[in-house]
Structures are given as C-alpha cells and as structure tokens.
C-alpha cells in the first residue's frame, strides 16, 4: 500500500526547488502546479493568494531549510544564530523568501515561530527572574536581530557577509542583555 502524499508539502518542496532557478515573483501557480504534479486548482485551494503561499513557504523554509537546535543558554543561541546566518548565505533565495514572508501581516492563524519559542526558552533558562516587560523587550530584540529580515538587510544594504552580520547581531544582543547582570552574553 502506498503512503499518502502530503500535497501541501509537495507544493512547498517544489516551490523551494523552483527558487533555486528564479525569484518568488517569477514563479507562477502554473509553474508550481507542474513542478508539484498537481493541478493549478489544487494550488489555489491550498493558497488562495500569493500572500498565503509566501507566508506558508516562509514558515516551511524556516522549519525545513534553517531548523533551530534546542536552545537553553545564550551561548547555544549565539552558536545557532551564527550557523543560521551561514546557512542563509548558502541558500540566499530561500533566506530572502523567509525574510519576505516574515514581514507580511499574517494571513493564517499560526503558532509562534520556532525562533520566538527558542528565544523565550533561552531567556526563561538564562534569566528566570527577569520581569515580563524586560523579557519581552529582549525577546523582541533577539528575534529581530536573529531573523532572516536582519540578515537580508545587512546583505543587501551593507554588503555584509554572514560573519559580519553575526558581529552586528552580537553587538546588539550584548547591549540588550546588559540589563541582565547575571547573564554573560559575549564569549
């Protein structure tokens, strides 16, 4: 007995394959349907607008192309961000789609991103006595500076490579974490 096909995953995998050849704007629903071996109508049923497709694709890329390890400490978070920036550099088309998708207003009801969950887990472990307002401020700072949006802006705006972008991330996080005296950020 054949295993059932996950149509949505097949569509998103096909979109990633097409991203290796062209930009998101240059991928039509017909191209995607042909690559995924489904009808164009199936694509429209799953993703009624390109915004729906972009948001789903960005989340899928984040989870499949740039997965995060379990993060409990600032050192683990720093190492994970450095590796993510290097992974973005190896797959810039996917990183730019992840950045664009993350900048959209949500079209679907969705859970917090893996990055958001990792940041809150790290802060809960590293600074359990931190008040909720400061936890949210640091989490928002960490999420932005560790995001594909930040990497894309540094790459396109300042021609920075992954390691240079990580240095900018590290400086920003050192300042943000300065309010938590019991946590050492920089190595």
């Amino acid at each position: 007995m054949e295993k059932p096909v996950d149509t949505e995953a097949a569509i998103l995998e096909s979109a990633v394959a097409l991203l290796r050849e062209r930009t998101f704007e240059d991928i039509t629903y017909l191209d995607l349907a042909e690559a995924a071996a489904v009808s164009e109508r199936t694509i429209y049923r799953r993703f009624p607008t390109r915004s729906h497709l972009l948001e789903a694709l960005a989340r899928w890329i984040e989870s499949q192309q740039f997965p995060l390890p379990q993060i409990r400490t600032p050192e683990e978070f720093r190492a994970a961000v450095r590796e993510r920036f290097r992974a973005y550099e190896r797959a810039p088309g996917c990183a730019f789609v992840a950045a664009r998708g993350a900048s959209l207003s949500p079209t679907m009801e969705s859970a917090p991103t893996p990055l958001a969950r990792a940041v809150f887990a790290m802060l809960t472990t590293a600074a359990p006595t931190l008040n909720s307002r400061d936890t949210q401020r640091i989490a928002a700072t960490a999420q932005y500076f560790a995001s594909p949006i930040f990497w894309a802006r540094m790459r396109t705006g300042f021609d920075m490579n992954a390691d240079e972008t990580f240095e900018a991330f590290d400086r920003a996080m050192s300042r943000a974490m300065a309010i938590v005296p019991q946590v050492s950020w920089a190595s």
Side-chain angles (χ1 to χ4, degrees):
M1 180 176 212
E2 282 189 40
K3 187 176 170 182
V5 175
D6 181 350
T7 304
E8 189 165 315
I11 293 167
L12 297 173
E13 286 174 9
S14 296
V16 169
L18 290 171
L19 282 172
R20 291 186 189 108
E21 302 166 9
R22 48 192 136 155
T23 66
F24 180 78
E25 292 76 21
D26 294 332
I27 299 171
T28 67
Y29 274 32
L30 180 59
D31 296 333
L32 195 49
E34 289 173 359
V38 298
S39 72
E40 192 174 5
R41 186 176 191 171
T42 299
I43 306 285
Y44 277 104
R45 275 194 208 118
R46 303 274 183 186
F47 309 106
T49 68
R50 290 193 55 88
S51 292
H52 286 91
L53 175 61
L54 181 59
E55 183 180 353
L57 183 57
R59 281 187 171 270
W60 193 86
I61 285 171
E62 281 282 326
S63 70
Q64 300 297 312
Q65 301 284 316
F66 310 120
L68 282 168
Q70 186 176 24
I71 296 169
R72 292 173 302 281
T73 67
E75 294 79 22
E76 291 172 345
F77 184 59
R78 289 176 76 239
V81 170
R82 181 184 295 270
E83 182 48 42
R84 275 173 70 93
F85 288 167
R86 289 177 176 163
Y88 293 159
E89 205 94 345
R90 291 188 297 271
C94 288
F96 281 112
V97 168
R100 266 189 73 196
S103 69
L104 286 176
S105 295
T107 58
M108 304 178 247
E109 202 172 300
S110 55
T113 65
L115 180 58
R117 287 192 305 272
V119 168
F120 277 106
M122 182 262 305
L123 288 173
T124 300
T125 303
T129 60
L130 193 61
N131 68 52
S132 64
R133 189 187 107 231
D134 287 338
T135 298
Q136 287 185 336
R137 282 187 1 201
I138 293 171
T141 300
Q143 287 177 66
Y144 173 73
F145 285 106
S147 73
I149 295 169
F150 178 71
W151 172 85
R153 287 188 173 147
M154 296 300 101
R155 175 148 181 202
T156 59
F158 301 101
D159 197 27
M160 293 171 78
N161 66 28
D163 290 330
E164 293 165 330
T165 302
F166 177 77
E167 288 174 25
F169 157 82
D170 214 23
R171 284 191 301 275
M173 285 305 299
S174 292
R175 294 200 56 178
M177 293 295 282
I179 67 169
V180 189
Q182 72 269 25
V183 177
S184 171
W185 178 257
S187 60

